[in-house]
């Protein structure tokens, strides 16, 4: 995609969620490692005064660094809650958050919705 196409897509996506306060890279692992793509995406977020959360689904992600360089409020997730289809594992991960929020002041937990979401299945 060209930069213009990326900008148009992000603008369209943001228009579908009028009450949004920020954006997170949950299913954009390949794109999150491409500095050109992330500059285009985060540029749109900057125009809308939105924050950016990097899910770190790709160890090579440049999202958090790009956002910081562009002056966009940013952070990265500490722990995924759904990387294993195991309710006990996810509950424990939710409690610890990957770091001690009392010591650090925050913890970001990431959970991607899915049609076969095991959380919903376990509640049946």
């Amino acid at each position: 995609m060209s930069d213009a196409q990326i900008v148009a897509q992000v603008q369209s996506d943001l228009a579908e969620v009028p009450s949004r306060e920020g954006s997170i890279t949950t299913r954009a692992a390949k794109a999150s490692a491409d500095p050109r793509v992330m500059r285009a995406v985060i540029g749109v977020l900057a125009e809308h005064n939105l924050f950016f959360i990097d899910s770190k689904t790709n160890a090579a992600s440049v999202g958090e660094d790009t956002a910081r360089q562009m002056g966009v409020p940013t952070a990265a997730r500490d722990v995924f809650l759904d990387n294993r289809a195991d309710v006990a594992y996810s509950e424990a991960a939710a409690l610890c958050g990957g770091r001690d929020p009392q010591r650090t002041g925050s913890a970001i937990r990431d959970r991607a919705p899915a049609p076969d979401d095991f959380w919903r299945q376990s509640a049946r």
Side-chain angles (χ1 to χ4, degrees):
M1 292 177 82
S2 71
D3 289 355
Q5 290 171 313
I6 293 167
V7 167
Q9 183 63 60
V10 175
Q11 293 281 16
S12 174
D13 293 346
L14 291 175
E16 290 184 28
V17 187
S19 63
R20 81 273 185 227
E21 295 181 24
S23 180
I24 186 167
T25 57
T26 300
R27 298 178 187 236
K30 185 175 180 182
S32 71
D34 185 328
R36 180 190 64 82
V37 171
M38 294 312 298
R39 279 191 301 273
V41 169
I42 292 169
V44 176
L45 300 181
E47 291 173 10
H48 291 272
N49 296 312
L50 301 174
F51 64 80
F52 174 75
I53 302 295
D54 195 338
S55 286
K56 299 288 186 181
T57 54
N58 182 340
S61 176
V62 297
E64 185 178 18
D65 290 339
T66 302
R68 192 168 281 116
Q69 291 167 4
M70 295 178 74
V72 171
T74 188
R77 66 99 182 128
D78 295 299
V79 66
F80 280 115
L81 300 180
D82 61 347
N83 59 322
R84 286 177 31 190
D86 178 332
V87 173
Y89 166 84
S90 295
E91 287 174 343
L95 292 174
C96 76
R99 66 178 174 182
D100 181 359
Q102 291 181 334
R103 182 177 55 78
T104 62
S106 68
I108 298 175
R109 298 156 180 96
D110 187 4
R111 179 177 168 273
D116 60 345
D117 191 321
F118 73 90
W119 286 93
R120 279 182 253 135
Q121 290 177 2
S122 66
R124 289 182 190 162

